[in-house]
Amino acid sequence: MSKDTTDPRNWQLATRLVRGGTARSENGETSEAIFMTSGFCYDSAEAAEARFKNELPGFVYSRYENPTVAMFEQRMALLEGAEAARGTASGMAAINAALTCQLRAGDEIVSSRAVFGSIAYIINELLPRFGVKSTMVDGTDLAQWEAAITPRTRVVFLESPANPTLEIVDIAAVARLAHRHGARLIIDNVFATPVLQRPLELGADIVVYSATKHIDGQGRSLGGVVLGSKAFIEDELAPFLKHTGPALSPFNAWVLLKGLETLELRVARHVENAARLADAIAGHPGLAAPADGKPALLYPGRADHPQHALAMRQMAGGSNMVAFRPKGGKAGAFRVLNALNIIDISNNLGDAKSLVTHPATTTHQRLTPDERARLGIGDDLLRLSVGLEDARDLIADLSQALEKA
Ligand SMILES: *Cc1c(COP(=O)(O)O)cnc(C)c1O
């Protein structure tokens, strides 16, 4: 029997990305419409009453739901293989909502230490104000996870590959430890992208994205998304979003919908470029000596990444992120940044344009030197998000800059 092509869950990834969630208006537009409206009208007073009581389907107010945003959410849910999804104004709004909607005083959260800076603020500073106890562990050490997760742990949080050191955490193993105590595992899957890593299939319960990154992919808009079971999204997350208001704008949802159409193609080229660049630069005389048993250039797709085998087990490619240490410490790293002609100095990532940043003085400058050292963020570390330019130009640009380290 041939497949039922009316059910989008039977479609392959590329088809889901181009067509998933599309809901055409009576005009039959080819491209998804942008519904720039804050509110919606009702045919009668009775209809308004029924919609507010959830007895009639339909939109009520764009802080709750909007047709363009709903298309983005459905396409994301199909892509991720999740039962449901909700869009938010930024990645941080998604992460804050995913945590805050389910944590209460007396609960505990366990997180890997290597998380995005603003996430560390929420976990270490904000949540404890409301009586949530937080513990951070070295994400690569399963014994630390095992010791930290207790029956009081409600949420376990991690990012893999981690920013900016590209450490890999064993998602399936941490999911088993979390579930043993009835805790839920949330994965920040930004660095891997939904194309390369499928956390729900590895045992995670909830996945969050900054859609600002590869999902837009062209540096145009902020956005975020939370994905999980229908029960979690509708009963726990949706009321929190509805009443606290970090809503995704319909225009930005449309930009993200258009981004999704080309996501698989772009990620494939991102990964191809990153792999070529990493191979061309590894061993460059402008790189520092190996330290702590790690090479001066780290790329999860290369065999010399300390966790290469684990990375290849849970990811379908090495990502587009490369971390490397030029020789000459911070001054050497700055000389390399300032010598680049094509690659831009910027803290964003997942963009069509290649972007490089010095985490110790930008994204991670809030941390103390000790905390940075513990995370492996030296003063010489650079983090490169490889874009969609011709790899030969990127290799030439970085090679000439490394000569000036
Ligand atoms: C950028 C980023 C975020 C935050 O997303 P915004 O859209 O900037 O709010 C969270 N996690 C990771 C891993 C990121 O790279």
Side-chain angles (χ1 to χ4, degrees), residues 33-45:
I34 311 177
F35 289 90
M36 288 301 291
T37 180
S38 43
F40 302 85
C41 303
Y42 314 98
D43 290 337
S44 66

Side-chain angles (χ1 to χ4, degrees), residues 89-95 115-119 157 159 161-163 188-191 208-214 221-224 321 347-349 383:
S90 69
M92 283 320 305
I95 292 158
V115 290
F116 191 73
S118 299
I119 300 170
F157 188 96
E159 188 181 309
N163 177 33
D188 180 339
N189 204 36
V190 165
F191 273 39
V208 290
Y209 289 99
S210 165
T212 315
K213 312 293 167 58
H214 309 76
S221 70
L222 294 174
M321 304 300 293
N347 47 284
N348 201 7
L349 62 100
R383 185 201 77 187

Side-chain angles (χ1 to χ4, degrees), residues 48-72:
E49 182 181 21
R51 271 207 223 166
F52 266 83
K53 282 186 176 159
N54 251 336
E55 290 167 4
L56 265 186
F59 295 93
V60 173
Y61 189 53
S62 285
R63 170 153 50 76
Y64 309 177
E65 276 201 88
N66 169 281
T68 312
V69 176
M71 285 191 260
F72 168 66

